[in-house]
């Protein structure tokens, strides 16, 4: 979707992958591979779950306040933890049908009246609220996932 080793935001859908590549985390992956499958899956689920809750909170705060509040209420998240870290991910997205229009904006729209005149319905500038919120949260999410990993491995007695 957004490539391997990624933490990406594609408009109003953000993807958090557990196989983050940043300095020093490769050793953690090796430690994960040495753990039993169920333990490994539980740790991955906790890492992604905590990061997706934080991202959802930040996206909700960044979303523009509309008349009905449907955009903010439409935020969803799903964690898909597998036994292998490179197959695990968390999605955070808006289900509101107009979310992409608010994020990306629209061009000038017009229609032709019965008399043949063109009537403008206006345009909406891009707000890029989701992209900006995601960019600001990126480092925090990575740090949060690393912290959860550290806490879980220490709790199991495997911390080094």
């Amino acid at each position: 979707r957004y490539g391997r080793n990624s933490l990406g935001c594609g408009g109003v859908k953000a993807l958090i992958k557990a196989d983050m590549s940043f300095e020093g985390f490769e050793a953690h992956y090796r430690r994960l591979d040495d753990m039993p499958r169920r333990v490994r899956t539980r740790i991955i689920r906790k890492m992604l779950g905590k990061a997706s809750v934080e991202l959802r909170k930040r996206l909700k705060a960044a979303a523009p306040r509309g008349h009905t509040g449907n955009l903010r209420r439409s935020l969803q998240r799903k964690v898909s933890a597998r036994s292998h870290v490179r197959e695990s991910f968390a999605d955070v997205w808006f289900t509101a049908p107009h979310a992409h229009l608010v994020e990306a904006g629209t061009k000038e729209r017009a229609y032709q009246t019965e008399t043949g005149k063109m009537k403008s319905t206006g345009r909406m500038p891009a707000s890029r609220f989701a992209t900006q919120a995601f960019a600001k949260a990126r480092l925090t999410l990575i740090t949060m996932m690393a912290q959860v990993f550290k806490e879980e491995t220490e709790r199991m007695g495997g911390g080094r």
Side-chain angles (χ1 to χ4, degrees), residues 12-141:
V12 293
K13 185 168 186 175
L15 179 73
I16 305 169
K17 292 192 85 170
D19 67 332
M20 304 305 302
S21 66
F22 59 97
E23 205 166 311
F25 211 66
E26 293 78 24
H28 295 313
Y29 291 139
R30 285 190 290 280
R31 287 174 53 199
L32 264 176
D33 288 338
D34 294 340
M35 294 178 187
R37 183 179 173 187
R38 292 179 73 193
V39 173
R40 188 171 54 222
T41 304
R42 190 190 77 224
I43 290 173
I44 292 168
R45 181 175 288 115
K46 280 190 174 186
M47 287 168 47
L48 290 171
K50 192 165 185 175
S52 64
V53 166
E54 177 66 19
L55 181 58
R56 185 177 186 273
K57 183 179 81 174
R58 288 179 180 231
L59 286 172
K60 188 172 186 173
R65 299 187 203 300
H67 300 296
T68 62
N70 287 340
L71 184 62
R72 288 173 173 222
R73 269 197 308 274
S74 75
L75 257 170
Q76 301 290 316
R77 73 179 187 93
K78 178 183 177 187
V79 174
S80 182
R82 305 283 191 264
S83 63
H84 196 277
V85 72
R86 287 177 179 24
E87 298 169 0
S88 303
F89 62 91
D91 280 329
V92 181
W93 73 95
F94 290 90
T95 58
H98 63 293
H100 68 288
L101 299 172
V102 176
E103 171 73 7
T106 62
K107 295 190 283 184
E108 185 71 33
R109 299 176 310 268
Y111 65 95
Q112 194 169 13
T113 64
E114 291 176 6
T115 61
K117 290 186 177 182
M118 292 302 287
K119 182 156 180 143
S120 174
T121 59
R123 65 180 295 277
M124 183 169 51
S127 71
R128 299 287 180 212
F129 71 94
T131 305
Q132 291 169 1
F134 186 83
K136 288 178 185 174
R138 189 173 197 280
L139 186 58
T140 304
L141 298 175

